[in-house]
Amino acid sequence: MTLSESRMQYPVPAAIEHPDLVTYRSEFPILQRKTYMNSCSLGALSNRSMQNMEQFMEMWNEWGAHAWYEIWMGEIAKARQKFATIIGADPGEVAIAPNVSTALSSIASALDYSERNNVVLADMDFPTLAYLFESTVDDRTALVATSRVFFTSGYIQDIRKIADMAHKCGAYILVDDYQGTGQIPLNVDAQDIDILVTGSLKWLMGGPGLAFVYIREGLIPSLEPTIAGWFGHRDQFQFKTREFEFRPDAARIEMGTPATAAVYAANGGLDIVQEISVERICERTRYLTNDLIARAREHGWGVRAPLEPEQRSSIVMLELERPEEIVKELVGRNIITDSRPGLLRISPYFYNTIEENAVVIDAIAEILENREKGS
Ligand SMILES: Cc1ncc(COP(=O)(O)O)c(C=O)c1O
C-alpha cells in the first residue's frame, strides 16, 4: 500500500450490528455493574488499561527511575504511534499534552499574529455550515478553530469544506476532535487538517491525563510556542541550560514530565480501538444510535440529532424537561447518562447493546409517567 492510498478519505460507514463486538463486554467491568451510556463524557475502563497500569506500578517498584530510559519513554512513543495510526498521521506529527486546554494554549502562543490577527471560532451550539465561516474568514484570519463533532447535538461537520475555505484565505484550520476520535473514522490528510487536538478520556477509553496534538509536518518548523519545557528540547538529556532549541518534530510543543500512568491507561484503550478499527466501531454505534432514536421517537420525545444519518454520531440528545432530575433517578436504577440544560444525553458505544437501549428508554418512560402521576 502506498502512502497516498493509506491516507485516502474513508467512505461514510453504514449502520451494521457487528454482533461479535458484544464479546468485548467482558473487557469492561463497569458493564457488569451498570447500564453505562455516557461514553462521550468518559469511556469505560478496560481490563487491558488496568493491567497496563499495574505493569506501570510494577516497573516503578522494579526499576525506579531507571524505568524512564528503558521503558517509560518507549511507552510514550508507543502512545504517539498508536494514535498516529488511528488518524492516518506520522508519529513525528504527534505530540502529547496533559489535556486539550493546555495544548490549545501552547498552540495559540505559537502562531504569528503580526499580519493576521483574527482567530475565527465556531458557535458550538448549532451545526456551523461552511458558508457561515466563509462570511467571517478573510485575509486577516490566522486560524479557523472548530470541532468535528458537536458535543451539544452529535452533529458531524464537513471538516474538508471548512479546511478548503480556510486555506483559500491563507488561514490554518485547527480541529478539536475530542468528540470524534475513536468513534468516527478520520484521516487528517484527506481532511487537509493543519492542527488537531483530542484526548484519551472519551471514545479512546484511556481515562484522564493525556491529550494528543497532531501538527501537519510542513507546519511544524514554524511553530515555536512561547511556553516550552525540557521535553520539547532538541537535546533533552544534554541538560543545556543556556540555550533552547526546539525538537524538529511535533513533540517540540511538549513541556514537562508526562503523567506516565495515564499513558499506560491510554495505550490499553488505543489498542482496543485499533484492534476493532474505528470503521467497525462507527458502524456499530450507528446501528445502536438509530435504534435509540427510533425508540425515543416512539414515545413522542423530541430528539436533537441531525436529520441525515451520516451526520449523526453516537451522542443522542433528548429534549425532556428537568433532565438533571431524570439523570439522578436513572443513577438510582444503575443507569448512567448525563444532562445538559434542557437535554438528556445518551451516548452508547460499541460495547452497548440494543437490550441496554431498551432498558434506558423504558426507565425514562417510567420516570416521566411517575412524574405526570405525581403532578
Ligand atoms: C470537544 C471538547 N473539547 C475539549 C474538551 C476539554 O478538554 P480538556 O479537559 O482536556 O482540556 C472537552 C471535554 O471535556 C470536549 O468535549
Side-chain angles (χ1 to χ4, degrees), residues 201-367:
L201 192 64
K202 304 166 191 288
W203 307 104
L204 293 177
M205 303 168 288
L210 189 68
F212 294 101
V213 185
Y214 158 80
I215 306 171
R216 183 171 52 75
E217 191 182 8
L219 185 57
I220 295 169
S222 65
L223 288 186
E224 297 194 344
T226 58
I227 42 171
W230 70 303
F231 271 67
H233 198 289
R234 177 185 280 271
D235 303 308
Q236 182 183 5
F237 293 106
Q238 299 296 316
F239 302 102
K240 292 178 183 164
T241 51
R242 288 180 185 276
E243 63 211 50
F244 190 92
E245 214 184 319
F246 281 101
R247 282 171 63 134
D249 56 12
R252 60 174 40 207
I253 69 156
E254 291 180 12
M255 285 186 254
T257 310
T260 317
V263 174
Y264 270 79
N267 275 337
L270 289 166
D271 278 343
I272 293 173
V273 170
Q274 265 190 295
E275 198 173 280
I276 300 174
S277 88
V278 182
E279 286 74 11
R280 292 202 331 135
I281 288 176
C282 186
E283 286 162 354
R284 175 149 175 95
T285 53
R286 269 164 205 262
Y287 164 78
L288 292 171
T289 307
N290 288 350
D291 173 78
L292 197 58
I293 291 173
R295 284 173 195 270
R297 288 197 173 134
E298 266 173 36
H299 284 281
W301 304 332
V303 178
R304 193 197 274 189
L307 287 176
E308 307 82 359
E310 68 273 12
Q311 283 167 338
R312 278 186 214 144
S313 64
S314 209
I315 300 173
V316 176
M317 295 292 208
L318 304 183
E319 292 163 349
L320 299 173
E321 276 175 36
R322 291 177 277 136
E324 55 294 336
E325 290 175 13
I326 304 173
V327 169
K328 219 170 164 182
E329 282 201 51
L330 288 173
V331 173
R333 296 168 184 234
N334 274 340
I335 301 168
I336 310 296
T337 59
D338 210 341
S339 70
R340 291 293 176 267
L343 297 162
L344 189 130
R345 188 173 71 179
I346 309 176
S347 53
Y349 209 20
F350 67 88
Y351 40 58
N352 290 117
T353 60
I354 293 282
E355 290 73 28
E356 287 180 307
N357 279 353
V359 167
V360 180
I361 295 294
D362 292 352
I364 296 170
E366 208 178 288
I367 292 165

Side-chain angles (χ1 to χ4, degrees), residues 40 98-102 147 149 151 176-179 201-202 211:
C40 81
N99 49 56
V100 161
S101 306
T102 308
S147 297
V149 176
F151 71 94
D176 177 340
D177 202 42
Y178 221 144
Q179 288 298 354
L201 192 64
K202 304 166 191 288

Side-chain angles (χ1 to χ4, degrees), residues 40-233:
C40 81
S41 187
L42 177 67
L45 173 62
S46 65
N47 289 334
R48 247 179 273 199
S49 287
M50 285 192 286
Q51 282 156 11
N52 282 359
M53 284 189 279
E54 272 167 24
Q55 200 191 340
F56 162 69
M57 290 189 285
E58 182 49 33
M59 293 299 109
W60 188 353
N61 279 332
E62 181 69 19
W63 296 106
H66 190 64
W68 269 118
Y69 304 103
E70 295 292 320
I71 302 158
W72 290 343
M73 294 301 272
E75 205 64 30
I76 295 166
K78 270 191 219 162
R80 285 199 207 98
Q81 166 78 60
K82 290 175 208 279
F83 172 72
T85 306
I86 287 172
I87 64 164
D90 187 273
E93 295 173 309
V94 173
I96 60 166
N99 49 56
V100 161
S101 306
T102 308
L104 282 176
S105 308
S106 171
I107 295 286
S109 82
L111 293 171
D112 178 3
Y113 303 102
S114 55
E115 306 274 315
R116 294 167 174 266
N117 55 9
N118 261 354
V119 172
V120 174
L121 304 170
D123 179 340
M124 300 299 176
D125 276 338
F126 293 100
T128 307
L129 302 169
Y131 69 81
L132 290 179
F133 278 110
E134 215 147 20
S135 60
T136 43
V137 177
D138 57 26
D139 60 5
R140 287 170 303 124
T141 306
L143 186 73
V144 174
T146 190
S147 297
R148 186 162 62 118
V149 176
F150 288 124
F151 71 94
T152 43
S153 61
Y155 183 94
I156 305 171
Q157 286 206 101
D158 185 341
I159 288 297
R160 180 61 200 242
K161 253 194 201 155
I162 301 165
D164 287 350
M165 184 272 311
H167 293 150
K168 208 170 73 190
C169 295
Y172 294 128
I173 177 166
L174 179 150
V175 177
D176 177 340
D177 202 42
Y178 221 144
Q179 288 298 354
T181 323
Q183 69 141 330
I184 313 286
L186 175 70
N187 182 290
V188 282
D189 275 357
Q191 301 297 319
D192 214 4
I193 292 168
D194 296 306
I195 301 165
L196 178 134
V197 291
T198 186
S200 65
L201 192 64
K202 304 166 191 288
W203 307 104
L204 293 177
M205 303 168 288
L210 189 68
F212 294 101
V213 185
Y214 158 80
I215 306 171
R216 183 171 52 75
E217 191 182 8
L219 185 57
I220 295 169
S222 65
L223 288 186
E224 297 194 344
T226 58
I227 42 171
W230 70 303
F231 271 67
H233 198 289

